[in-house]
Amino acid sequence: MIDTDADGAVADGNGGYSAASRDEHVVRASAGAGNLIRRLFQQRTRLWQQTLPDDITGPQFTVLGVLYLRGAMDQRTLGHHASLDKSTAAPIVERLRLRGLLTVERDTADARRKVLALTPAGQEAVVRLAPYAAQVEDLLLGDLSPAEREQFFHLAYRILGVHDAT
Protein backbone atom coordinates (compact mmCIF):
# COMPACT_ATOMS: atom_id res chain seq x y z
CA MET A 1 0.00 0.00 0.00
CA ILE A 2 1.28 3.48 -0.83
CA ASP A 3 1.73 5.83 2.12
CA THR A 4 0.17 9.27 1.48
CA ASP A 5 -0.65 12.31 3.57
CA ALA A 6 -4.06 14.06 3.78
CA ASP A 7 -3.40 15.95 0.53
CA GLY A 8 -2.46 12.80 -1.35
CA ALA A 9 1.27 13.50 -1.45
CA VAL A 10 3.31 10.33 -1.58
CA ALA A 11 5.85 9.51 1.11
CA ASP A 12 9.36 10.14 -0.13
CA GLY A 13 10.78 7.13 1.69
CA ASN A 14 12.18 9.28 4.49
CA GLY A 15 8.85 9.97 6.15
CA GLY A 16 8.21 13.18 4.20
CA TYR A 17 6.00 14.02 1.28
CA SER A 18 6.96 16.05 -1.75
CA ALA A 19 4.97 17.61 -4.53
CA ALA A 20 7.54 16.21 -6.97
CA SER A 21 6.89 12.63 -5.89
CA ARG A 22 3.15 13.23 -6.03
CA ASP A 23 3.44 14.70 -9.53
CA GLU A 24 5.66 11.82 -10.68
CA HIS A 25 3.00 9.34 -9.62
CA VAL A 26 0.29 11.30 -11.41
CA VAL A 27 2.35 11.33 -14.59
CA ARG A 28 3.07 7.58 -14.35
CA ALA A 29 -0.56 6.77 -13.61
CA SER A 30 -2.03 8.93 -16.38
CA ALA A 31 0.55 8.43 -19.14
CA GLY A 32 2.04 5.07 -18.21
CA ALA A 33 1.48 1.48 -19.26
CA GLY A 34 -2.28 1.48 -18.68
CA ASN A 35 -2.80 4.44 -20.98
CA LEU A 36 -0.52 2.92 -23.61
CA ILE A 37 -2.32 -0.44 -23.46
CA ARG A 38 -5.68 1.33 -23.81
CA ARG A 39 -4.41 3.22 -26.86
CA LEU A 40 -3.07 0.03 -28.46
CA PHE A 41 -6.44 -1.64 -27.88
CA GLN A 42 -8.27 1.30 -29.45
CA GLN A 43 -5.96 1.20 -32.47
CA ARG A 44 -6.47 -2.55 -32.88
CA THR A 45 -10.24 -2.17 -32.59
CA ARG A 46 -10.23 0.58 -35.24
CA LEU A 47 -8.07 -1.50 -37.59
CA TRP A 48 -10.26 -4.57 -36.98
CA GLN A 49 -13.44 -2.68 -37.82
CA GLN A 50 -11.90 -1.11 -40.92
CA THR A 51 -10.36 -4.34 -42.23
CA LEU A 52 -12.78 -7.19 -41.61
CA PRO A 53 -15.61 -7.48 -44.14
CA ASP A 54 -17.94 -8.93 -41.50
CA ASP A 55 -19.33 -7.68 -38.20
CA ILE A 56 -17.55 -10.35 -36.18
CA THR A 57 -15.57 -9.13 -33.17
CA GLY A 58 -12.01 -10.05 -32.24
CA PRO A 59 -13.09 -12.25 -29.30
CA GLN A 60 -15.70 -13.96 -31.50
CA PHE A 61 -13.04 -14.69 -34.11
CA THR A 62 -10.77 -16.06 -31.39
CA VAL A 63 -13.50 -18.49 -30.29
CA LEU A 64 -14.05 -19.61 -33.89
CA GLY A 65 -10.30 -19.95 -34.39
CA VAL A 66 -9.81 -22.06 -31.27
CA LEU A 67 -12.63 -24.40 -32.31
CA TYR A 68 -11.29 -24.58 -35.85
CA LEU A 69 -7.76 -25.45 -34.72
CA ARG A 70 -8.59 -27.71 -31.76
CA GLY A 71 -11.98 -29.18 -32.64
CA ALA A 72 -15.08 -29.56 -30.50
CA MET A 73 -14.64 -28.96 -26.78
CA ASP A 74 -16.52 -28.03 -23.67
CA GLN A 75 -17.11 -24.38 -22.85
CA ARG A 76 -14.65 -24.35 -19.93
CA THR A 77 -11.82 -25.68 -22.10
CA LEU A 78 -12.69 -23.16 -24.81
CA GLY A 79 -12.51 -20.35 -22.25
CA HIS A 80 -9.06 -21.55 -21.23
CA HIS A 81 -7.71 -21.73 -24.79
CA ALA A 82 -9.32 -18.43 -25.82
CA SER A 83 -8.29 -16.68 -22.55
CA LEU A 84 -11.90 -15.79 -21.78
CA ASP A 85 -13.57 -16.03 -18.38
CA LYS A 86 -16.96 -17.72 -18.09
CA SER A 87 -18.94 -14.47 -17.94
CA THR A 88 -17.24 -13.22 -21.13
CA ALA A 89 -17.31 -16.51 -23.03
CA ALA A 90 -21.01 -17.30 -22.46
CA PRO A 91 -22.47 -14.31 -24.39
CA ILE A 92 -19.91 -14.72 -27.18
CA VAL A 93 -20.84 -18.38 -27.57
CA GLU A 94 -24.55 -17.51 -27.56
CA ARG A 95 -24.11 -14.83 -30.27
CA LEU A 96 -22.14 -17.23 -32.45
CA ARG A 97 -24.76 -19.94 -31.90
CA LEU A 98 -27.57 -17.57 -32.91
CA ARG A 99 -25.62 -16.70 -36.07
CA GLY A 100 -25.39 -20.40 -36.92
CA LEU A 101 -21.59 -20.46 -36.63
CA LEU A 102 -21.35 -23.00 -33.82
CA THR A 103 -23.46 -25.60 -32.08
CA VAL A 104 -23.92 -26.10 -28.36
CA GLU A 105 -24.94 -29.58 -27.26
CA ARG A 106 -25.01 -31.42 -23.96
CA ASP A 107 -22.21 -33.92 -23.50
CA THR A 108 -23.69 -37.43 -23.67
CA ALA A 109 -21.25 -38.64 -21.00
CA ASP A 110 -21.83 -35.68 -18.64
CA ALA A 111 -25.04 -33.68 -19.11
CA ARG A 112 -23.60 -30.80 -17.07
CA ARG A 113 -21.04 -30.09 -19.81
CA LYS A 114 -21.82 -28.15 -22.97
CA VAL A 115 -19.84 -29.23 -26.02
CA LEU A 116 -19.20 -26.57 -28.64
CA ALA A 117 -18.41 -27.28 -32.28
CA LEU A 118 -18.19 -25.24 -35.45
CA THR A 119 -20.93 -25.58 -38.00
CA PRO A 120 -19.97 -25.69 -41.69
CA ALA A 121 -20.84 -21.97 -41.81
CA GLY A 122 -18.53 -21.39 -38.83
CA GLN A 123 -15.70 -23.24 -40.54
CA GLU A 124 -16.22 -21.22 -43.70
CA ALA A 125 -16.31 -17.94 -41.74
CA VAL A 126 -13.06 -18.56 -39.87
CA VAL A 127 -11.22 -19.61 -43.04
CA ARG A 128 -12.62 -16.63 -44.99
CA LEU A 129 -11.86 -14.09 -42.25
CA ALA A 130 -8.43 -15.39 -41.15
CA PRO A 131 -6.47 -13.46 -43.82
CA TYR A 132 -8.19 -10.23 -42.75
CA ALA A 133 -7.45 -10.91 -39.07
CA ALA A 134 -3.80 -11.55 -39.96
CA GLN A 135 -3.76 -8.29 -41.91
CA VAL A 136 -4.91 -6.43 -38.79
CA GLU A 137 -1.95 -7.84 -36.88
CA ASP A 138 0.39 -6.86 -39.71
CA LEU A 139 -1.02 -3.33 -39.72
CA LEU A 140 -0.75 -3.06 -35.95
CA LEU A 141 2.79 -4.43 -35.69
CA GLY A 142 4.03 -3.49 -39.17
CA ASP A 143 6.70 -1.10 -37.97
CA LEU A 144 8.34 -3.81 -35.84
CA SER A 145 11.01 -6.15 -37.14
CA PRO A 146 10.43 -9.90 -36.72
CA ALA A 147 12.75 -9.86 -33.68
CA GLU A 148 10.86 -6.90 -32.17
CA ARG A 149 7.54 -8.67 -32.73
CA GLU A 150 8.87 -11.74 -30.96
CA GLN A 151 10.08 -9.57 -28.09
CA PHE A 152 6.73 -7.75 -27.94
CA PHE A 153 4.88 -11.05 -27.53
CA HIS A 154 7.43 -12.39 -25.06
CA LEU A 155 7.12 -9.30 -22.86
CA ALA A 156 3.32 -9.15 -23.10
CA TYR A 157 2.98 -12.82 -22.12
CA ARG A 158 5.44 -12.29 -19.28
CA ILE A 159 3.36 -9.37 -17.98
CA LEU A 160 0.28 -11.60 -18.16
CA GLY A 161 2.12 -14.37 -16.30
CA VAL A 162 1.70 -16.75 -19.24
CA HIS A 163 4.67 -18.98 -19.94
CA ASP A 164 3.13 -21.11 -22.68
CA ALA A 165 1.07 -19.07 -25.15
CA THR A 166 -0.51 -22.10 -26.81
Side-chain angles (χ1 to χ4, degrees):
M1 187 156 154
I2 298 174
D3 188 22
T4 61
D5 71 4
D7 295 324
V10 179
D12 65 7
N14 297 319
Y17 298 90
S18 71
S21 67
R22 178 185 58 226
D23 291 352
E24 177 187 338
H25 281 78
V26 170
V27 168
R28 285 179 53 204
S30 62
N35 185 51
L36 187 58
I37 292 166
R38 177 190 57 78
R39 290 174 54 204
L40 282 170
F41 181 73
Q42 287 176 327
Q43 184 173 354
R44 184 204 183 257
T45 299
R46 181 181 49 79
L47 291 169
W48 186 271
Q49 292 170 345
Q50 290 173 348
T51 305
L52 266 78
D54 200 346
D55 63 347
I56 197 156
T57 67
Q60 289 172 344
F61 181 81
T62 298
V63 165
L64 294 175
V66 166
L67 291 171
Y68 179 83
L69 293 171
R70 297 182 177 269
M73 65 185 66
D74 65 86
Q75 192 163 330
R76 183 176 181 189
T77 304
L78 173 73
H80 169 76
H81 289 301
S83 299
L84 298 170
D85 60 54
K86 185 177 181 180
S87 65
T88 303
I92 291 171
V93 165
E94 182 59 13
R95 282 189 209 95
L96 293 172
R97 185 191 68 77
L98 290 172
R99 290 179 66 173
L101 300 176
L102 60 81
T103 60
V104 179
E105 297 179 3
R106 294 279 176 202
D107 187 341
T108 55
D110 182 353
R112 295 171 297 178
R113 291 178 63 214
K114 294 178 183 177
V115 177
L116 313 173
L118 288 180
T119 63
Q123 290 177 352
E124 183 276 329
V126 75
V127 169
R128 178 175 50 84
L129 296 174
Y132 296 101
Q135 183 181 5
V136 170
E137 185 162 315
D138 289 340
L139 290 168
L140 186 62
L141 302 177
D143 290 338
L144 301 180
S145 70
E148 289 170 328
R149 286 183 188 205
E150 186 175 322
Q151 184 178 25
F152 171 82
F153 284 108
H154 172 77
L155 293 171
Y157 283 124
R158 191 167 107 196
I159 290 168
L160 293 171
V162 176
H163 302 289
D164 179 13
T166 58

